[in-house]
Amino acid sequence: MPMTENNEDFLNTEEHATLALFGPSSTPIKGIFENAYLTAEVGGSVPISGRTPVFYTPESYVPAPKGKLLVVGGANYTIMFSEPDGTGWTNLILEKA
Amino acid sequence: MADHVRKQLRTAVTAALVAAVMPSVGARVYPSRVYPADDDNLPCVLVYATSEANEVETLDGDFEQRSISIRVEGLAKVALNLDDVLDQIAKEVEDVLDGPLTVGAFTTQLQYLGSEITMRADLETPCGSVALVFEAVLHTSQADTIVGA
């Protein structure tokens, strides 16, 4: 069900939200950035460890996001794909650029 | 008393790979690693003696033929051309292990049986592995002493 509330009410950068720069024009957008530790099973005897960067933001902030650049905390990421959650928000799956 | 024949073989394979200083992984060759590989030790090669099949060679059972599987895994995490990087690791490993290998007082030849590649996009950078399987046949006494290769 789409949210009717103001998106900005959920994106206080003094709390859990993060400011990022989106796309070729470096448009400032807000979202919730997570960069959790994960181990990936790669078919070998041991997994490979790393991070899983994800940026959760309103879909309206990031039109046609796939392949575009997202700068978070000074780090460059490529948006690999978008996972809309059905509420008007989406998880952007990131890869280090 | 000599080490178990699997340990001797694993040590010999590891030593050969380390000595070769393969361009793709340098000195990052780890025998029997059990912990996850992180950015500090990638790309790398892991060496395992994974299985062994024995056959009694003499009627009195004093001598055995041991067929030992050696699994060499290359791991990498790169943004571009992960398949090419894994194939390069595989090539370098195959080149090193293609020659005669000294195990104890004997020289043996590993037989390359095949490989398998896995690639994933779960992390901030694509990662994957290439697992190469080799087999060595060694002849031992019951006391685990290598008597032939």
Side-chain angles (χ1 to χ4, degrees), chain A residues 41-42 45 47 49 51 96, chain B residues 37 73 77 118 120 124 129:
Chain A
E41 299 293 338
V42 291
S45 299
S49 67
R51 299 284 180 163
K96 265 188 180 175
Chain B
E73 299 176 5
K77 187 178 174 187
T118 304
R120 301 292 298 267
E124 78 282 13
S129 74

Side-chain angles (χ1 to χ4, degrees), chain A residues 35 37-53 77 81 93-97, chain B residues 33-38 42 46 48 71 73 75-77 79 118 120 122-129:
Chain A
N35 197 20
Y37 174 89
L38 183 78
T39 57
E41 299 293 338
V42 291
S45 299
V46 302
I48 292 178
S49 67
R51 299 284 180 163
T52 53
Y77 297 94
F81 50 95
I93 308 302
L94 308 176
E95 182 179 304
K96 265 188 180 175
Chain B
R33 185 182 177 93
V34 295
Y35 295 105
D38 61 23
L42 287 171
L46 316 178
Y48 303 89
R71 185 177 166 98
E73 299 176 5
L75 303 183
K77 187 178 174 187
T118 304
R120 301 292 298 267
D122 299 337
L123 303 177
E124 78 282 13
T125 304
C127 59
S129 74

Side-chain angles (χ1 to χ4, degrees), chain A residues 11 15-20 30-36 51-57 70-77 89 91-96, chain B residues 124:
Chain A
L11 294 170
E15 295 180 0
H16 55 277
T18 302
L19 191 64
K30 291 178 188 172
I32 298 166
F33 179 65
E34 292 182 354
N35 197 20
R51 299 284 180 163
T52 53
V54 174
F55 196 76
Y56 186 57
T57 192
L70 189 74
V71 182
V72 187
N76 293 344
Y77 297 94
W89 288 54
N91 268 314
L92 301 177
I93 308 302
L94 308 176
E95 182 179 304
K96 265 188 180 175
Chain B
E124 78 282 13

Side-chain angles (χ1 to χ4, degrees), chain B:
Chain B
M1 186 175 182
D3 289 326
H4 191 282
V5 65
R6 280 198 306 276
K7 180 181 178 183
Q8 293 182 60
L9 182 59
R10 185 172 60 244
T11 300
V13 169
T14 302
L17 294 171
V18 168
V21 194
M22 296 178 287
S24 61
V25 299
R28 292 183 295 275
V29 179
Y30 307 114
S32 305
R33 185 182 177 93
V34 295
Y35 295 105
D38 61 23
D39 290 348
D40 290 339
N41 37 48
L42 287 171
C44 66
V45 161
L46 316 178
V47 180
Y48 303 89
T50 51
S51 64
E52 176 184 327
N54 285 19
E55 283 181 41
V56 175
E57 288 195 302
T58 55
L59 288 175
D60 59 10
D62 284 346
F63 295 96
E64 298 175 328
Q65 172 180 291
R66 296 172 180 247
S67 301
I68 301 171
S69 292
I70 290 288
R71 185 177 166 98
V72 180
E73 299 176 5
L75 303 183
K77 187 178 174 187
V78 293
L80 296 173
N81 304 323
L82 175 61
D83 53 350
D84 291 345
V85 171
L86 294 173
D87 282 338
Q88 181 61 32
I89 293 172
K91 180 188 184 310
E92 293 172 13
V93 169
E94 287 175 46
D95 286 349
V96 172
L97 299 182
D98 188 41
L101 183 74
T102 301
V103 185
F106 295 89
T107 299
T108 188
Q109 179 76 47
L110 295 182
Q111 182 183 358
Y112 173 54
L113 299 182
S115 61
E116 185 172 342
I117 285 182
T118 304
M119 295 187 286
R120 301 292 298 267
D122 299 337
L123 303 177
E124 78 282 13
T125 304
C127 59
S129 74
V130 56
L132 301 97
V133 179
F134 298 85
E135 184 181 71
V137 177
L138 297 168
H139 305 273
T140 67
S141 67
Q142 272 199 328
D144 234 15
T145 302
I146 299 172
V147 295

